[in-house]
Amino acid sequence: MMLGVVGTVSSAGFLQTSILVATAVNGLSYAGEYAAALTLTTPISLIAGATSLALFPAMARDHGRDDLASLKKRTQLATQTLVTLMIAAFGVIGILAGPITLLVWGKGFQENTDEILMFLLLAVVVGTIAVPSVNLLTTQSNRGMATSAISSLIGFAIGIAVWIALVPTLPEHAVPIGYLVGASTIAGIPYVIIWRRYQLPWLGQTLVIVSVLTGIVSLIVLFDVVLAPFWVQASVALLFLVLWSALRVKNVKQILRLLRSSFGGHDRPRKALA
C-alpha cells in the first residue's frame, strides 16, 4: 500500500505541480489556459482508469494461477486495443484542437490553450497505452510495485529538470513539454520492462505509435502555421480516422464486439472481460 501511495502521489502530484509551475512562470492568465486544456483531456483520460479497474482483478487471478500465457495474451490484447483507441482520439482531437477550444472556451482561450492541449493529450495517450504494462507489473509482487513507484519518481525528477532547463528560453512551452517528457518516462519504464521481460512482439507496434503520433503532431503544427480553415481541419481529421480504422480493422472489430456484448446482457460482459 505504501508503494502504491508513493507511485500515485508521484504521478498525480506531478500533474498538480505542473499547474503550480505554470502559474508561477507565466501568470494567472496562462494558468487559466493550462487548466482549460487540462479539462479538455479529462474525457479520454478516464479510459486509463476504467482499463485499470477492468484489468487488475483479472491479471491478479491469472498471476495467482501462475497462468503466464493468459497474462501475456491479456496484456497484448489490451495494449493493442488502447493503441487503436487513444491514437484515434489524439488524431481527431489534436487536429481539431483549435475549433474545439473555440467552441468550449471561446476566443479568450485561443492564444495558448490548443498548443498546451496537444502536449497534455500526448501525455495522456502515452500513459494510457502503458496501463496494461503497469498493471501486469504491479499485480505480481512488491518488487513490481516498487518499480512502478520508482519510475514515477524518476519521471517527476526528469520533468522538473526539463522545466529548469527550458523555462528561461521557452517559458510558455516549458511546462507542458516538461510534463510530457516526465509522463512519458513514467509510462515508458514499465512498458519497456514488460516488453523485454515477456518478449512481447511490440517492436512494430512501438514504431507505429511513434511514427503516427509524430505525423499527427506535424500536421497540427502545419495547420497552426498556415492557419488552415475549419473545413480543411475537419476533412483531414475524418480522413485520418477512416485510414487509421482501416489499418487497425482487426482491433476495431474486437472493440465493436466488446461494446455489443456489453450492451447485450448482464452475463456476456463478464465473459468478455474475463
Side-chain angles (χ1 to χ4, degrees), residues 39-50:
T39 301
L40 291 176
T41 67
T42 300
I44 66 168
S45 67
L46 297 176
I47 296 174

Side-chain angles (χ1 to χ4, degrees), residues 14-59:
F14 182 31
L15 177 59
Q16 300 306 316
T17 303
S18 73
I19 298 174
L20 297 176
V21 174
T23 305
V25 171
N26 296 301
L28 291 176
S29 178
Y30 182 88
E33 294 173 326
Y34 195 93
L38 183 61
T39 301
L40 291 176
T41 67
T42 300
I44 66 168
S45 67
L46 297 176
I47 296 174
T51 302
S52 181
L53 287 173
L55 283 176
F56 198 93
M59 285 184 164

Side-chain angles (χ1 to χ4, degrees), residues 99 219 222-233:
L219 274 176
L222 176 63
F223 287 158
D224 187 54
V225 171
V226 302
L227 301 176
F230 170 72
W231 70 267
V232 172
Q233 294 173 289

Side-chain angles (χ1 to χ4, degrees), residues 10 20 29 44 67 83 134 142 147 159 189 194 204 209 217 222 231 269:
S10 299
L20 297 176
S29 178
I44 66 168
D67 190 348
V83 168
V134 174
N142 283 348
T147 302
I189 292 174
I194 295 303
I209 293 170
V217 170
L222 176 63
W231 70 267

Side-chain angles (χ1 to χ4, degrees), residues 172-254:
E172 292 186 347
H173 295 91
V175 179
I177 290 175
Y179 179 72
L180 171 60
V181 173
S184 298
T185 302
I186 293 172
I189 292 174
Y191 181 90
V192 172
I193 288 175
I194 295 303
W195 174 11
R196 304 309 303 163
R197 178 179 297 175
Y198 294 98
Q199 299 181 340
L200 296 171
W202 283 359
L203 177 60
Q205 170 182 278
T206 304
L207 292 175
V208 167
I209 293 170
V210 174
S211 300
V212 175
L213 291 180
T214 302
I216 295 170
V217 170
S218 300
L219 274 176
I220 295 171
V221 173
L222 176 63
F223 287 158
D224 187 54
V225 171
V226 302
L227 301 176
F230 170 72
W231 70 267
V232 172
Q233 294 173 289
S235 299
V236 172
L238 178 60
L239 178 61
F240 165 76
L241 188 60
V242 171
L243 292 176
W244 179 246
S245 299
L247 289 172
R248 308 285 293 187
V249 63
K250 182 179 179 181
N251 296 122
V252 171
K253 289 180 179 178
Q254 290 172 336

